[in-house]
Amino acid sequence: MASANLKMEGNEIDVEAMEPISLSDPLEECADISEIGGVENKHDEGETNVVRKFKRFLANMWQKLLDKTRVLEDLWPQYCCGGGEMERTRAYHVWPGNNVFFFRGRLICGPDPRGLLLTAVSISLSSWIFAVYVADELPNHSGLVITIGVILTIIVLVNLILVSMIDPGIVPRNDQPFVFDEIGSSDRTRKKRVINVNGLELKLKYCRVCKIYRPPRSCHCAVCDNCVENFDHHCPWIGQCIGLRNYRFYLTFLVTALVFFAYIFAFSCWRVHQRMSQSGTGIFSMLRNRPEILALASFSSAAIAFLAGLTGYHAYLIATNQTAYENFRQRYSGSRNPYDKGILSNIMDTLFMRLPPSRVDFRAEVAPWWSGCSDGDGK
């Protein structure tokens, strides 16, 4: 016990480093336990032995915890500096945007997952209510109806994952401050560039956050804190920007979700009509006896109206080769759209062109500012 006390005093700094999680001294706890055991069981020597073994066990566990902490502290500089066998520092570790990364930078999400979780739960819950309360009570082919509903649910959820967890087209940032070559010109003049797109001159804006001239049709998202190529909008129901690389997955999600809720709505309405005809009761009796079916039909009708409006709006944008951001800002109200090539060509460019690779390698190894800490002399 004396050696345990000496080790405890020698590792006082290690214990303080683990704060703010406050851990009590196990030796003091053991002393308290010993005193309690001595008062309550002073005539029972066997109980005293049990207390002593328990006290020794706690001291050993505490010492093992301190040893593990010391090992982690020794490996921490190697981890930060990319040394040893542990994972090196990668770009997603130090990315300045507000994104959240999963699976070591392979999946990138927006900063607020509440909309994504709400959408996923709504789809899953609607599918479950449909399978239990609607399709299972159908007189014929209930198994086939449930199977089709499950397949549609899986397709919708897969598209939801794809649109919310891939790079939407983030533009790389400039690590160094931009140096302007023009001398004697104003800041507003220096921070504009002009390019020619299909015979029309377009101005490129300078992004003070990313320190780059934004590519054409790109915009800086205030939520994710990134410049996104072909920026359409930031969807709160998905929690991700919609841009060049995930726009077609977004369209697929809208169409499949519309088909899914239309499928649910049709069978729900048919089931409501069937029960009302068999029982001869009205809508209020149905509301009292089967409220889940009416709730599913009502929610599905609202989802259909919302998704149908979005799908029609984006169909118009695709036909005219606009983004939602450009259409909202009336970017081409006073001039022609240089990207409009005709309806057929616009559809081909939007839906069937090969997706470009991500411009940012979030798994690339980077040299952090503390990269020299692995040297023994601190240089």
Side-chain angles (χ1 to χ4, degrees), residues 15-293:
V15 176
E16 294 178 356
M18 296 176 64
E19 291 181 0
I21 301 177
S22 178
L23 299 176
S24 59
D25 192 343
L27 299 182
E28 295 177 0
E29 294 178 356
C30 294
D32 296 337
I33 296 173
S34 177
E35 293 175 2
I36 296 173
V39 173
E40 296 179 352
N41 305 293
K42 57 184 178 180
H43 300 294
D44 190 353
E45 186 177 357
E47 185 69 20
T48 304
N49 292 333
V50 172
V51 173
R52 289 177 180 175
K53 290 181 180 179
F54 183 66
K55 179 174 62 176
R56 198 176 299 114
F57 170 76
L58 288 179
N60 292 334
M61 291 298 295
W62 179 254
Q63 186 59 43
K64 289 182 179 180
L65 178 61
L66 293 179
D67 293 340
K68 295 293 184 181
T69 304
R70 191 181 301 109
V71 171
L72 291 176
E73 288 179 351
D74 294 338
L75 292 177
W76 178 251
Q78 297 180 4
Y79 173 76
C80 292
C81 305
E85 297 180 356
M86 303 184 71
E87 184 184 6
R88 296 177 180 272
T89 303
R90 300 186 182 273
Y92 74 92
H93 289 143
V94 295
W95 182 251
N98 297 330
N99 303 92
V100 180
F101 298 88
F102 298 97
F103 296 101
R104 298 183 178 181
R106 291 181 175 87
L107 300 180
I108 174 173
C109 301
D112 189 0
R114 290 176 294 180
L116 174 62
L117 293 177
L118 179 61
T119 303
V121 169
S122 300
I123 295 170
S124 303
L125 187 60
S126 299
S127 178
W128 178 77
I129 295 176
F130 174 75
V132 174
Y133 294 101
V134 178
D136 192 48
E137 297 183 359
L138 295 177
N140 298 318
H141 308 292
S142 61
L144 179 62
V145 173
I146 294 175
T147 302
I148 296 176
V150 171
I151 292 175
L152 288 175
T153 304
I154 295 174
I155 293 175
V156 174
L157 291 177
V158 168
N159 282 283
L160 178 63
I161 293 173
L162 288 175
V163 72
S164 62
M165 295 191 178
I166 67 171
D167 177 14
I170 296 176
V171 182
R173 299 194 178 201
N174 183 15
D175 296 333
Q176 302 297 328
F178 191 85
V179 179
F180 298 101
D181 296 332
E182 296 90 340
I183 300 176
S185 58
S186 63
D187 292 340
R188 179 173 297 183
T189 304
R190 286 181 294 179
K191 295 183 180 180
K192 286 185 179 180
R193 285 184 178 177
V194 178
I195 62 172
N196 189 285
V197 178
N198 296 327
L200 187 66
E201 291 187 349
L202 298 178
K203 296 179 181 180
L204 300 183
K205 294 183 178 181
Y206 181 76
C207 179
R208 297 180 179 272
V209 178
C210 299
K211 301 174 184 177
I212 59 170
Y213 280 101
R214 300 177 193 150
R217 315 188 82 179
S218 65
C219 180
H220 189 91
C221 176
V223 180
C224 295
D225 197 22
N226 296 311
C227 281
V228 179
E229 198 169 2
N230 278 35
F231 179 79
D232 191 83
H233 69 287
H234 182 94
C235 182
W237 302 105
I238 296 177
Q240 178 68 291
C241 290
I242 307 302
L244 176 65
R245 300 190 69 251
N246 64 348
Y247 182 70
R248 65 182 60 177
F249 296 115
Y250 175 74
L251 295 175
T252 308
F253 168 73
L254 290 181
V255 174
T256 54
L258 179 60
V259 173
F260 168 74
F261 282 108
Y263 181 80
I264 288 178
F265 178 74
F267 279 99
S268 298
C269 290
W270 182 73
R271 185 57 182 162
V272 169
H273 175 72
Q274 186 184 41
R275 288 188 64 89
M276 291 177 61
S277 299
Q278 291 176 353
S279 60
T281 57
I283 191 69
F284 293 103
S285 177
M286 186 70 183
L287 182 61
R288 183 174 60 254
N289 297 328
R290 283 288 188 227
E292 59 278 348
I293 300 179

